[in-house]
Amino acid sequence: MTLGWCLDSHTVCQSSSGNRDTSTEEDMSTEYHDNVEDDTSSFWNKERPPVFVSGVSRFRRWLFPALTATVILILIIILGATNTKTLNQLWSVGKTVSNMSESLNSAQHLAKDTAKDVHRLKFAVENNKDQLTSVAEALKQLSALDALQRTVTELKCSLERIINNSSVSSSCCPLNWDSFGTSCYFFSRTPLNWHDARDWCNGHESHLIILNTDEEWDYVKQYTTGTFYWVGLTDERGEWEWVNQTPYVMNRRRWRPGQPDAWTAHGLGHGDEDCAHLHSDGRLNDLHCSTSLRYICQKHS
């Protein structure tokens, strides 16, 4: 009895007695051998990629992460530097604000102290209104007294004219002024600097004394010995002259030895010694005009 089957489109027939077709077996064996050889060759003998291509592929695989990490690092550095600069600026702004706050607090304290001072002054003025009123009244009384003194002086002059029957010309000097020749003289007891003394005399219808004659020198010396007195002589305009701007003729015997010397080491401010005064011996000496001395006023009657 014969048994037959098909394998991969090849028909192999076998008999029950074990006999087979030699030609068919050889073909099968040949085909199977060829198939095995092909499979083995394709499985075990695959061609490996070149080493260079594999290195480039590995380099490309690590290139992007490396670049990404580098960019991130650069960004971190930039952000760190920016943050440091920003923090420094914020610190400076904070310090400035702190200083402004301290200045504002100081100004507020000063304003409070000033307000307190103003309040105290206001309180003092309100409490001293009576005293201020008294001072005003006293000034009025002094003004009235001055007017009264002038009136008394006029009455004195009128009385002298009546006594002399207006036939003799006599001087009429204010109270506390001394008469000599045709002039009245006031010998002060209060010291002033030269300019203030000049202004005081001008305000009383007189001038600082001008000495022209030996008689006037002798008269004045008897009142001034032992004390310094300003006279109306100055060289502030470059040349010595009297206060009425008449030229002064230099007379050395009227000056102390070596004077005037225009001394500059006086320590009294700008300029040298531009104003003249009577020394304790009755002779002239130059002195800085800011010095406070007594003075002599002269009024022509």
Side-chain angles (χ1 to χ4, degrees):
M1 182 173 186
T2 301
L3 180 63
W5 70 89
C6 255
L7 243 222
D8 297 328
S9 71
H10 296 282
T11 305
V12 179
C13 296
Q14 288 182 341
S15 62
S16 59
S17 61
N19 294 328
R20 54 183 183 179
D21 189 353
T22 304
S23 175
T24 302
E25 185 178 359
E26 288 178 359
D27 291 338
M28 232 180 123
S29 174
T30 301
E31 288 182 7
Y32 179 77
H33 177 75
D34 289 339
N35 288 335
V36 171
E37 183 178 359
D38 290 341
D39 290 340
T40 303
S41 174
S42 64
F43 181 81
W44 295 105
N45 296 319
K46 284 186 179 180
E47 221 181 276
R48 294 185 179 181
V51 175
F52 174 75
V53 175
S54 176
V56 171
S57 177
R58 189 180 301 110
F59 174 75
R60 289 178 179 176
R61 187 167 60 249
W62 286 101
L63 179 61
F64 180 75
L67 289 176
T68 302
T70 302
V71 171
I72 292 174
L73 180 60
I74 292 173
L75 289 176
I76 291 174
I77 293 173
I78 294 174
L79 290 176
T82 305
N83 288 336
T84 302
K85 184 177 180 180
T86 304
L87 289 175
N88 290 334
Q89 292 177 349
L90 290 175
W91 182 82
S92 299
V93 171
K95 187 175 181 180
T96 303
V97 171
S98 177
N99 293 334
M100 292 178 64
S101 299
E102 292 178 359
S103 300
L104 181 60
N105 291 333
S106 300
Q108 289 177 346
H109 288 304
L110 181 60
K112 290 180 180 179
D113 293 339
T114 303
K116 290 179 181 178
D117 292 337
V118 171
H119 181 72
R120 283 195 294 267
L121 289 173
K122 182 180 179 181
F123 181 76
V125 169
E126 290 177 352
N127 288 339
N128 293 324
K129 280 183 178 180
D130 295 338
Q131 295 180 4
L132 294 174
T133 303
S134 300
V135 170
E137 292 295 331
L139 291 176
K140 290 180 180 179
Q141 292 176 5
L142 287 174
S143 178
L145 182 61
D146 184 64
L148 181 61
Q149 182 177 349
R150 291 177 182 273
T151 303
V152 170
T153 301
E154 293 175 358
L155 289 173
K156 176 187 175 185
C157 291
S158 299
L159 182 60
E160 287 181 356
R161 291 191 184 97
I162 293 172
I163 293 174
N164 293 317
N165 199 19
S166 299
S167 60
V168 179
S169 175
S170 69
S171 62
C172 185
C173 297
L175 292 177
N176 299 323
W177 289 63
D178 296 313
S179 175
F180 178 76
T182 59
S183 297
C184 300
Y185 299 88
F186 175 78
F187 297 87
S188 77
R189 295 291 181 265
T190 303
L192 295 174
N193 64 56
W194 189 90
H195 295 95
D196 289 344
R198 178 198 59 188
D199 295 341
W200 192 95
C201 293
N202 293 340
H204 289 77
E205 300 176 354
S206 62
H207 56 77
L208 282 174
I209 189 172
I210 297 174
L211 299 170
N212 290 319
T213 65
D214 291 340
E215 290 79 14
E216 288 175 331
W217 280 98
D218 293 338
Y219 169 75
V220 169
K221 281 177 66 175
Q222 64 180 332
Y223 288 95
T224 61
T225 301
T227 310
F228 292 175
Y229 281 88
W230 285 125
V231 298
L233 187 61
T234 178
D235 70 340
E236 284 186 317
R237 301 202 305 172
E239 298 292 337
W240 286 101
E241 62 183 5
W242 296 106
V243 288
N244 61 358
Q245 297 184 2
T246 58
Y248 168 72
V249 178
M250 180 60 66
N251 186 349
R252 290 293 179 183
R253 71 183 180 89
R254 294 296 183 186
W255 290 82
R256 289 175 60 83
Q259 301 301 325
D261 59 356
W263 192 45
T264 57
H266 42 67
L268 297 174
H270 177 71
D272 56 21
E273 298 174 322
D274 293 325
C275 297
H277 72 96
L278 289 175
H279 208 273
S280 58
D281 59 1
R283 287 186 291 181
L284 292 171
N285 177 59
D286 60 338
L287 200 62
H288 196 272
C289 299
S290 65
T291 307
S292 293
L293 300 178
R294 295 183 181 186
Y295 51 94
I296 306 171
C297 296
Q298 182 181 18
K299 177 187 292 189
H300 298 285
S301 61

